[in-house]
């Protein structure tokens, strides 16, 4: 399903948004990463898939592969760790950043507890960062988070609290526990009176856009597909592009599961809103019932189109990327990672619609593969092949094509 944003405006990046997120802060984040040995975060590659582009009738289709960002397997490695670091530096402005990053304040930080709700990837990234800096970490999981995702978070020493209910209930429970015990919430979604930390999380994601723009050649992307959970990834990436390119920015298309369409609903209602639907999707990272009000401020007038995709469309896109082809390298792309391709495949059934959106033979389109097989058993079940096997075929493809 497709919705043209009724409030779309092409304009320069507004100063009130620049006061919240800007390229100067992104540059500072990259300095932090360079000095943070315990959190291995690498720049990620962009792959062109010419056969997919040909099938879609567009000039170029590229995938920014966040599955190899870090051992955590998703782009979320860019968010929570930076937000936790900035939170610690706010608490202790007298501490030297390099010393904090080297874990020299472990003893003092042991008494400091951080908490967050998660559908998997954010909690895993927060747990890893808390372990690196020496904080205690509590992660609240809702009923639909798999035991496999729980184990991946607990492996970083986090204490797990299970609740009945969905993602939004877990956000409320994390806030309640923090209030009751004097803990600090490090969340990727904002709510009334709570914006500094989610702002830092989103600012972390801007590095994805910074890397793309640094590498981009004379032919810039015309369209960028961004998957939406609470909207943080989309806002962080889009804001950087907008600031750097102003009205010359690409078109942005935000894609959500049809059962968790909180950003689509926000576009209809003109304010951060709740999803209509069960909020239970195989795209676990996108199964969010409430848009982040802070993220929405960045998205409201700058997203060209909102789209929803079904679980079946996501699974088909996972298989398509895993399969590869003569000219396309096989890619490991998880349930939430493939939303952009699922959306394009859906649009391909209506070529006139694609043309109207400028998705034609001149279009250069980028999607972000936001995760690899972060739930390996789910991946193997739906793709019909284990992640290791896809990666082995990827290596083989690379060898064959390097000759
Ligand atoms: C793999 C993946 N992709 C995309 C998203 C969406 O990010 P956001 O909730 O910031 O919109 C998430 C969120 O958890 C995720 O885990």
């Amino acid at each position: 399903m497709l919705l043209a944003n009724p409030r779309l405006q092409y304009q320069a990046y507004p100063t009130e948004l620049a006061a919240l997120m800007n390229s100067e802060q992104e540059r500072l984040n990259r300095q932090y990463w360079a000095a943070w040995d315990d959190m291995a975060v690498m720049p990620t590659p962009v792959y062109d898939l010419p056969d997919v582009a040909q099938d879609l009738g567009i000039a170029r289709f590229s995938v920014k592969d966040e599955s190899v960002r870090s051992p955590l397997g998703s782009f979320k490695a860019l968010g929570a760790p930076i937000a936790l670091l900035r939170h610690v530096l706010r608490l202790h402005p007298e501490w030297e950043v390099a010393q904090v990053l080297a874990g020299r304040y472990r003893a003092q930080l042991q008494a400091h507890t951080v908490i967050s709700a998660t559908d998997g990837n954010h909690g895993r990234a927060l747990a890893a960062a808390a372990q690196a800096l020496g904080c205690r970490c509590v992660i609240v999981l809702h009923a639909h988070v798999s035991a496999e995702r729980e184990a991946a978070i607990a492996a970083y020493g986090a204490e797990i609290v299970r609740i009945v209910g969905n993602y939004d209930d877990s956000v409320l429970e994390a806030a309640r526990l923090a209030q009751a015990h004097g803990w600090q919430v490090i969340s990727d979604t904002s709510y009334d009176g709570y914006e500094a930390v989610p702002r830092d999380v989103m600012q972390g994601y801007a590095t994805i856009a910074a890397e793309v723009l640094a590498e981009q050649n004379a032919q810039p992307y015309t369209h960028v597909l961004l998957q939406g959970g609470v909207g943080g990834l989309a806002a962080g990436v889009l804001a950087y592009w907008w600031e750097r390119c102003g009205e010359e920015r690409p078109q942005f298309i935000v894609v959500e599961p049809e059962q968790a369409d909180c950003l689509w609903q926000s576009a209809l209602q003109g304010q951060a809103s709740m999803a209509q639907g069960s909020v239970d999707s195989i795209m676990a990272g996108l199964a969010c019932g409430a848009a982040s009000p802070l993220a929405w401020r960045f998205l409201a007038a700058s997203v060209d189109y909102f789209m929803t995709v079904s679980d079946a469309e996501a699974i088909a896109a996972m298989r398509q990327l895993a399969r590869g082809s003569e000219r396309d390298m096989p890619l490991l792309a998880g349930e939430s990672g493939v939303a952009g391709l699922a959306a394009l495949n859906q649009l391909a059934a209506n070529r006139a619609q694609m043309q109207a959106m400028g998705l034609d033979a001149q279009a250069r389109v980028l999607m972000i593969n936001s995760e690899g097989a972060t739930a390996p058993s789910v991946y193997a079940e739906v793709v019909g092949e284990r992640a290791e096997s896809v990666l082995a075929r990827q290596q083989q493809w690379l060898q064959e094509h390097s000759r």
Side-chain angles (χ1 to χ4, degrees):
M1 297 249 291
L2 176 72
L3 172 71
N5 185 358
R7 290 171 188 80
L8 177 65
Q9 272 178 29
Y10 271 64
Q11 56 184 337
Y13 189 51
T15 43
E16 65 274 19
L17 297 186
L20 294 168
M21 282 203 281
N22 57 67
S23 49
E24 189 52 33
Q25 293 301 321
E26 191 283 329
R27 204 184 48 77
L28 188 57
N29 282 350
R30 275 197 276 172
Q31 282 176 14
Y32 292 152
W33 285 125
W36 200 347
D37 293 339
D38 287 346
M39 294 290 298
V41 168
M42 307 296 289
T44 54
V46 175
Y47 298 115
D48 280 349
L49 304 183
D51 282 335
V52 172
Q54 188 174 326
D55 289 349
L56 291 168
I58 57 180
R60 182 174 173 196
F61 177 69
S62 309
V63 179
K64 173 92 168 145
D65 188 10
E66 291 297 312
S67 73
V68 295
R69 175 67 70 183
S70 89
L72 301 169
S74 85
F75 79 101
K76 288 268 168 182
L78 291 170
I82 281 291
L84 177 59
L85 173 65
R86 285 176 176 264
H87 162 68
V88 167
L89 294 175
R90 271 196 292 273
L91 279 184
H92 296 283
E94 74 285 5
W95 286 0
E96 275 233 9
V97 186
Q99 304 284 327
V100 179
L101 293 175
R104 303 261 158 70
Y105 294 105
R106 303 190 70 80
Q108 289 95 315
L109 285 173
Q110 249 166 26
H112 192 63
T113 302
V114 293
I115 182 168
S116 182
T118 187
D119 39 38
N121 291 326
H122 172 77
R124 194 173 176 189
L126 179 60
Q131 191 176 61
L133 298 186
C135 305
R136 181 176 164 229
C137 181
V138 178
I139 296 294
V140 185
L141 299 180
H142 60 85
H144 304 300
V145 179
S146 67
E148 184 172 47
R149 288 189 187 275
E150 173 177 338
I153 297 166
Y156 288 99
E159 294 158 42
I160 307 290
V161 175
R162 268 283 177 185
I163 60 145
V164 285
N166 65 16
Y167 176 74
D168 306 302
D169 301 315
S170 62
V171 172
L172 291 176
E173 180 62 4
R176 191 193 68 76
L177 285 171
Q179 174 78 26
H181 299 288
W183 299 340
Q184 174 63 40
V185 179
I186 304 290
S187 171
D188 54 359
T189 195
S190 76
Y191 39 86
D192 238 6
Y194 177 75
E195 291 202 336
V197 171
R199 186 270 318 275
D200 291 346
V201 171
M202 298 195 302
Q203 181 70 81
Y205 305 153
T207 293
I208 297 172
E211 288 173 4
V212 174
L213 282 169
E215 297 275 305
Q216 192 169 261
N217 59 23
Q219 297 200 304
Y221 290 105
T222 55
H223 298 74
V224 177
L225 292 140
L226 298 164
Q227 49 275 74
V230 300
L233 168 65
V237 170
L238 170 155
Y240 187 91
W241 230 298
W242 190 3
E243 180 188 354
R244 290 281 304 276
C245 303
E247 294 179 41
E248 301 301 308
R249 65 175 180 78
Q251 291 191 45
F252 294 111
I253 303 171
V254 164
V255 187
E256 299 173 279
E258 55 194 19
Q259 312 91 306
D261 61 351
C262 58
L263 299 171
W264 171 295
Q265 293 298 335
S266 303
L268 280 181
Q269 289 165 39
Q271 58 180 14
S273 300
M274 302 293 292
Q276 285 190 357
S278 63
V279 190
D280 177 20
S281 162
I282 191 167
M283 293 167 263
L286 312 184
C288 304
S292 161
L294 183 61
W296 184 249
R297 286 177 61 185
F298 291 84
L299 304 178
S302 59
V303 174
D304 294 73
Y305 295 96
F306 294 87
M307 289 190 68
T308 58
V309 294
S310 67
D311 283 359
E313 286 167 329
I315 291 170
M318 289 169 76
R319 292 181 182 156
Q320 182 183 2
L321 288 178
R323 200 162 48 239
S325 69
E326 176 48 36
R327 292 189 299 159
D328 294 353
M329 184 172 95
L331 279 178
L332 188 68
E335 302 85 282
S336 299
V338 295
L341 179 58
L344 287 173
N345 286 339
Q346 186 191 96
L347 284 171
N350 184 346
R351 294 280 168 170
Q353 181 65 69
M354 276 187 89
Q355 296 284 329
M357 296 168 75
L359 288 164
D360 54 23
Q362 274 73 50
R364 295 176 298 277
V365 182
L366 177 76
M367 78 156 223
I368 294 168
N369 174 28
S370 57
E371 67 176 348
T374 54
S377 69
V378 176
Y379 184 88
E381 191 185 323
V382 303
V383 174
E385 184 178 359
R386 286 164 55 84
E388 297 78 5
S389 161
V390 174
L391 289 175
R393 282 193 300 101
Q394 187 182 72
Q395 282 311 310
Q396 198 183 342
W397 188 97
L398 280 169
Q399 274 169 18
E400 284 166 8
H401 288 74
S402 67
R403 283 185 211 134

